Amino acid sequence: MEIEPLVGPCGKLPILIRDDDTNFFTMKSMLQSIYSEAWSKGFKVSLSVIPLQKGTDDMCVPPNFRKSGLLYPITNNGTLIKFLRDKLQKGEIEVLQHGSSHSVVESYRGEFGMNTSDQEANLKRAISIMKEAFEIRPRFFVPPYDDISYKNLKLVKKYGLIPIYGRESINKFFRSPFIPAFFKKMAAKKIYQKFGKSAYVVPVMINILGNNLYNNSNKYKNADDNDCHVRAAGAEAINTLPPVGLPIEKLISPVSFLDSISKILSLASLNRSRISSLCIINHYHQYFNDWNKTITRTNMFNSWQKLLSCLTGDTAFDDNCQYLNFGWKTTFSELYNRFRKIKRTITASKTGSKITIQSISDSETVDNLSFLITYGSLEKLYDTENVTLEKESNIITIKEVLPKSKFNIYVND
Ligand SMILES: [Zn+2]
């Protein structure tokens, strides 16, 4: 028998909503109209905030400012900052750093995709603006356009930021030192021409530290072990979904979008660990095309509302009337903290038919720690006082793993 630890409490599927591009120009009413429903349903929204938006031809800049070429620190929008601080305090949002100025270099590349000499100074300035705005040091870093070079990955880590980025072949292509810049520019141009002005909601998977939670495993101890990796949701099973960050027409049409979502959720309900965390990437400004005062993309907005109600379990997500009643509404910080805690606290070992799950911590308790049985079955003689079976019989939960405690589970292969 094989077991795999799950990061969500009681084996729940972590669900994150990430909204990119909050900047100096963002009006609080825009965020309110897109997220008030999400907040009332108990979701938290991870906002990727641009510290120092540049006035360029960028969809996240209002049309009148696209030629200014100036830098707009988010701290200059007092009303927005007050709103965001209040939301932070209530725990309804978390703030991620989204690049520094969101500008495009060499026509089509993201500012962190290229290695420029002023990169470090820009990053330092951007971090200090984030600190001034939110009175906390940003912890996570989302590169604009999901474009970041190896050198800049190192740079952001040097400043204590955990990068959240894609590792699909398209991302590797742009990062590769062996592919001439010219080809990358051509590819970036093509992508921009095809999708640059589109609107889309992208479901992705978030993996932290590879797939393995055990701290006694050396398998995933790479240099970038602590990063958050963004992957196309269900890439292994559903090939109709786009690579991360690449919107395709399928997702733009409300019908095919909801169809794709229902496939992802079916997959998640069948195999919780493979879809380690589901993250929905959204862009509030796309609903107000092009910086209209009210929502103009009403189809997209209706799909978004429908998606929220599927993710909450209020509406069935497929034709077989399946409901998602195993979602854990969370943030990058919460997910990351829980992941790290499990990883430094828990070990598992197997001798014969006995699996021993053990806490090696002197002080930390892990609540509702779940394991997925990927092969074999449980023997009846498991510790029923502390270990419970979830509705899905292949998931077990230990209510409380106290410091230095130990659990034996007996299994049949
Ligand atoms: Zn962006």
Side-chain angles (χ1 to χ4, degrees), residues 20-21 98 102:
D20 290 357
D21 299 349
H98 191 31
H102 209 266

Side-chain angles (χ1 to χ4, degrees), residues 200-378:
Y200 47 91
V201 180
V202 188
V204 296
M205 273 162 64
I206 302 291
N207 283 333
I208 310 169
L209 314 168
N211 290 318
N212 202 312
L213 272 166
Y214 293 143
N215 55 2
N216 53 3
S217 161
N218 282 314
K219 203 170 155 193
Y220 293 98
K221 283 194 177 136
N222 299 317
D224 53 359
D225 247 5
N226 290 328
D227 305 352
C228 293
H229 300 145
V230 178
R231 298 178 54 201
E236 292 155 277
I238 304 167
N239 52 22
T240 55
L241 279 168
V244 168
L246 289 188
I248 58 162
E249 291 76 357
K250 272 204 170 304
L251 287 174
I252 297 164
S253 133
V255 175
S256 56
F257 171 68
L258 289 170
D259 185 53
S260 301
I261 288 292
S262 116
K263 280 183 190 149
I264 292 170
L265 295 181
S266 300
L267 186 75
S269 74
L270 286 174
N271 192 342
R272 203 83 41 99
S273 73
R274 190 173 293 179
I275 299 229
S276 47
S277 309
L278 182 62
C279 173
I280 310 294
I281 301 181
N282 214 352
H283 294 80
Y284 68 96
H285 56 84
Q286 294 182 338
Y287 294 86
F288 301 85
N289 189 42
D290 183 13
W291 284 79
N292 214 290
K293 284 218 157 44
T294 51
I295 290 171
T296 52
R297 285 186 164 126
T298 42
N299 270 347
M300 187 170 159
F301 183 69
N302 293 339
S303 305
W304 167 241
Q305 297 297 94
K306 177 106 190 278
L307 170 60
L308 276 179
S309 93
C310 288
L311 293 176
T312 320
D314 295 344
T315 306
F317 63 79
D318 69 358
D319 296 338
N320 300 325
C321 285
Q322 283 203 81
Y323 288 84
L324 183 82
N325 47 15
F326 51 83
W328 174 39
K329 297 161 190 153
T330 190
T331 58
F332 284 90
S333 300
E334 275 181 359
L335 181 69
Y336 194 81
N337 289 346
R338 186 167 167 91
F339 208 106
R340 294 304 302 244
K341 188 179 183 181
I342 295 173
K343 196 160 159 83
R344 65 175 177 260
T345 314
I346 308 297
T347 60
S349 55
K350 190 180 170 194
T351 24
S353 64
K354 183 171 85 178
I355 289 182
T356 305
I357 294 160
Q358 177 161 203
S359 166
I360 52 165
S361 168
D362 292 321
S363 53
E364 291 184 290
T365 299
V366 181
D367 293 323
N368 299 313
L369 176 69
S370 295
F371 293 85
L372 177 80
I373 302 162
T374 51
Y375 170 74
S377 61
L378 276 183

Side-chain angles (χ1 to χ4, degrees), residues 353 378-385 387 408-412:
S353 64
L378 276 183
E379 217 171 72
K380 272 281 173 279
L381 288 167
Y382 65 90
D383 176 355
T384 47
E385 222 169 84
V387 182
N408 290 326
I409 294 168
Y410 296 89
V411 296
N412 302 314

Side-chain angles (χ1 to χ4, degrees), residues 41-222:
K41 287 180 185 298
F43 284 98
K44 297 157 186 180
V45 183
S46 305
L47 294 178
S48 303
V49 172
I50 304 164
L52 203 60
Q53 177 70 55
K54 191 173 183 184
T56 54
D57 187 20
D58 188 337
M59 293 308 281
C60 64
V61 175
N64 290 344
F65 295 87
R66 287 184 191 152
K67 287 203 168 86
S68 80
L70 299 173
L71 292 172
Y72 300 91
I74 190 158
T75 38
N76 287 0
N77 185 341
T79 318
L80 177 68
I81 296 293
K82 192 172 173 290
F83 170 75
L84 295 177
R85 280 190 185 184
D86 179 55
K87 288 283 177 204
L88 266 173
Q89 206 163 31
K90 286 184 188 151
E92 292 182 328
I93 61 165
E94 76 173 336
V95 165
L96 320 169
Q97 182 171 337
H98 191 31
S100 64
S101 70
H102 209 266
S103 53
V104 166
V105 286
E106 295 196 2
S107 303
Y108 302 102
R109 299 295 305 278
E111 57 181 346
F112 281 82
M114 307 291 284
N115 302 322
T116 53
S117 56
D118 52 0
Q119 198 69 266
E120 187 159 0
N122 289 344
L123 181 66
K124 269 165 108 171
R125 186 173 173 204
I127 292 174
S128 74
I129 291 172
M130 292 292 283
K131 278 203 268 189
E132 193 190 328
F134 306 109
E135 292 175 324
I136 38 168
R137 210 178 188 292
R139 196 170 172 209
F140 296 92
F141 182 88
V142 178
Y145 310 101
D146 201 9
D147 192 2
I148 186 162
S149 68
Y150 285 116
K151 197 173 166 197
N152 289 331
L153 274 174
K154 270 198 193 140
L155 179 68
V156 300
K157 285 189 233 176
K158 182 178 149 190
Y159 283 89
L161 293 161
I162 301 160
I164 302 171
Y165 62 104
R167 299 213 305 175
E168 300 286 335
S169 42
I170 182 85
N171 306 106
K172 287 179 183 157
F173 166 84
F174 282 115
R175 266 196 285 282
S176 169
F178 305 109
I179 296 169
F182 171 77
F183 290 113
K184 294 182 189 169
K185 191 174 166 181
M186 292 293 288
K189 185 178 173 185
K190 265 210 166 117
I191 292 168
Y192 178 79
Q193 284 169 341
K194 197 159 181 203
F195 305 114
K197 308 272 181 201
S198 317
Y200 47 91
V201 180
V202 188
V204 296
M205 273 162 64
I206 302 291
N207 283 333
I208 310 169
L209 314 168
N211 290 318
N212 202 312
L213 272 166
Y214 293 143
N215 55 2
N216 53 3
S217 161
N218 282 314
K219 203 170 155 193
Y220 293 98
K221 283 194 177 136
N222 299 317

